[in-house]
Amino acid sequence: MTYPACPRKAMEPPVMPHFRVIATLVVTACCLRADQGTDFFEAKIRPVLLEHCHACHSADAAKAGKLKGGLRLDTRDGLRKGGDSGTALVPGDPSKGTLLASLRHEGDVRMPPKGKLPETIANDFSKWIAM
């Protein structure tokens, strides 16, 4: 039977495999979070945007000359850029931007103009913006 020259070092686990495991877990967690955010958007946010916002805040509205407030809500860039009233949203911070305040009918801009949506919808938008 042969013994390693330095038994202590032979028994210690190498550092690199642990780093790979941790890196894999971090990447997986980020992907799962992104998937959850996408799933949440598709289930809770997109249907509201299509039903209540698309007619006035989309490429179709712009083509028809009916875009309101210079705001496009049908693209990521449009959501982040905002419109004539300012930035629509700041990812990660629901307290910034005009979108959530407009949905809650707080301030001068109140959307949709025909009536306030249920608070549960505003809460969904808040949760989504925070993701």
Side-chain angles (χ1 to χ4, degrees), residues 33 36-38 40-41 91-94 124 126-131:
R33 184 169 183 220
Q36 289 171 345
T38 300
F40 188 85
F41 176 82
D93 191 348
D124 287 342
S126 180
K127 182 177 178 180
W128 171 66
I129 292 167
M131 290 181 169

Side-chain angles (χ1 to χ4, degrees), residues 40-53 125:
F40 188 85
F41 176 82
E42 293 298 333
K44 300 279 189 172
I45 306 303
R46 184 185 301 275
V48 174
L49 293 174
L50 288 173
E51 183 178 345
H52 298 283
C53 309
F125 272 79

Side-chain angles (χ1 to χ4, degrees), residues 32-76:
L32 287 175
R33 184 169 183 220
D35 288 344
Q36 289 171 345
T38 300
D39 291 345
F40 188 85
F41 176 82
E42 293 298 333
K44 300 279 189 172
I45 306 303
R46 184 185 301 275
V48 174
L49 293 174
L50 288 173
E51 183 178 345
H52 298 283
C53 309
H54 187 81
C56 298
H57 301 290
S58 66
D60 294 341
K63 286 178 190 172
K66 297 180 179 182
L67 185 68
K68 304 290 183 183
L71 177 61
R72 295 259 319 260
L73 297 176
D74 58 341
T75 66
R76 179 185 301 235

